[in-house]
Amino acid sequence: MAFNTPQIIDTARQVLEIAATIAFALSGVIKAAHKKLDVVGVCVVAFIAAFGGGTLRDLLLDQRPFFWVRHENFVWVVMLVSLLAVGFMRQRHFAVTERAMLWPDMLGLGLFAAVGVDMAAEQGMSPLMCVMMGVITGVFGGVLRDVLCGEIPQAFRDHQPYAVCAFIGGWVDILLRNSPVPEMAPMLACVFVTAGLRAIALWRQWRLPSWRVE
């Protein structure tokens, strides 16, 4: 059986993007529930978290229509995830805490970073721009989510590596693209390095330098 490599890569990218969309939608649901928003507010915050980074990426890469318009199923997935998650949390009396949001947020960061790097590389962007597109795709949805909920974005205020993790993961992706490895290896490495670094940073309580205010 002959395999169409570009088609395989495109399918893999869509799988990663769906997984990232679900992960960030869950982070948005948890954030909105923590703020005690109604079901409409929960859905809106979930949409912003899931689609914000990819929409900005598509704007910068001049991709039309946006990825969630091209793949309408993404919208249905976010709506379904939002409603099911709200129902589950209410029924199970789930403890809606900031910490509960960290894990889907961490996974979404890695997945979206990999997709952003891959899409920019496909368009022939320079290595630095590919990495920056990965960072934007992975980080911006969470930033918009927090702003919409009336907070300074967690990526800017908790002093733990976040965008830095996506930046490092993006460079791992780029380096592997110039190495004799399987086609899927760069994207998968970006996911694992980005999410793994974020998990270690949370576990070890790593801190970025901050301002010293007297």
Side-chain angles (χ1 to χ4, degrees), residues 19-199:
T21 298
I22 292 172
F24 263 124
L26 283 173
S27 78
V29 169
I30 294 171
K31 170 68 76 172
H34 183 65
K35 293 292 185 178
K36 296 181 173 56
L37 303 186
D38 63 21
V39 67
V40 175
V42 169
C43 288
V44 170
V45 174
F47 269 65
I48 291 295
F51 299 141
T55 299
L56 179 58
R57 174 203 65 214
D58 287 353
L59 277 170
L60 294 173
L61 293 178
D62 199 24
Q63 290 280 328
R64 297 292 190 283
F66 299 139
F67 79 103
W68 52 272
V69 178
R70 294 196 303 272
H71 306 291
E72 185 179 312
N73 288 339
F74 284 19
V75 178
W76 287 110
V77 166
V78 171
M79 287 171 49
L80 184 61
V81 166
S82 301
L83 295 174
L84 289 177
V86 169
F88 174 82
M89 287 189 293
R90 288 173 63 88
Q91 187 177 23
R92 300 290 180 176
H93 303 292
F94 183 79
V96 183
T97 65
E98 287 284 335
R99 192 160 188 81
M101 188 186 69
L102 295 177
W103 300 104
D105 187 69
M106 173 188 70
L107 181 60
L109 175 67
L111 291 164
F112 264 142
V115 172
V117 173
D118 185 66
M119 289 189 68
E122 189 179 64
Q123 291 202 16
M125 307 287 283
S126 71
L128 178 59
M129 290 301 101
C130 290
V131 173
M132 293 306 297
M133 288 300 148
V135 173
I136 287 168
T137 309
V139 172
F140 203 73
V143 169
L144 286 176
R145 173 199 66 211
D146 293 349
V147 169
L148 193 62
C149 289
E151 295 181 356
I152 297 174
Q154 186 170 5
F156 303 153
R157 63 179 162 82
D158 69 359
H159 302 299
Q160 291 184 303
Y162 188 78
V164 171
C165 298
F167 188 77
I168 294 172
W171 280 112
V172 170
D173 185 313
I174 293 297
L175 290 174
L176 287 177
R177 286 176 187 273
N178 298 315
S179 305
V181 297
E183 294 275 356
M184 286 295 300
M187 279 197 294
L188 293 177
C190 183
V191 174
F192 287 117
V193 169
T194 301
L197 282 175
R198 177 62 175 168

Side-chain angles (χ1 to χ4, degrees), residues 192-209:
F192 287 117
V193 169
T194 301
L197 282 175
R198 177 62 175 168
I200 294 170
L202 293 171
W203 173 48
R204 301 293 297 175
Q205 294 294 302
W206 288 347
R207 289 285 186 270
L208 295 172

